[in-house]
């Protein structure tokens, strides 16, 4: 299947290390994945950078719970 989504969100779906590969498959380049990190992640931004590596730019939106936003390169 061809990547076609401009944005994907995930809340209570799976841990980030499993949710990112699913989102990545359907995100078009430049598309964003918004992940509700929840309170159990100690450092959501570091986790997002570890999981995505060079495949995405990650940033954190400070909110309750924090939101991790990963933009596919």
């Amino acid at each position: 299947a061809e990547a076609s989504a401009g944005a994907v969100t995930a809340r209570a779906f799976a841990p980030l290390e499993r949710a990112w590969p699913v989102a990545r498959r359907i995100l078009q380049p430049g598309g964003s994945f918004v992940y509700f990190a929840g309170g159990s992640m100690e450092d959501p931004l570091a986790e997002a950078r570890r999981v995505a590596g060079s495949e995405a730019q990650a940033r954190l939106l400070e909110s309750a719970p924090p939101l991790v936003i990963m933009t596919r390169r």
Side-chain angles (χ1 to χ4, degrees):
E2 187 174 315
S4 61
V8 174
T9 62
R11 181 175 184 276
F13 170 67
L16 186 56
E17 62 194 17
R18 289 194 0 236
W20 169 245
V22 173
R24 182 186 66 225
R25 284 195 301 267
I26 59 174
L27 274 176
Q28 61 193 16
S32 294
F33 173 49
V34 179
Y35 181 82
F36 291 74
S40 63
M41 289 181 88
E42 285 189 35
D43 190 343
L45 186 55
E47 181 70 9
R49 289 178 174 156
R50 182 189 68 76
V51 167
S54 64
E55 295 177 329
Q57 174 186 359
R59 64 186 191 275
L60 185 67
L61 177 61
E62 296 290 338
S63 63
L67 297 174
V68 175
I69 303 169
M70 301 165 74
T71 303
R72 183 173 172 218
R73 295 181 194 254

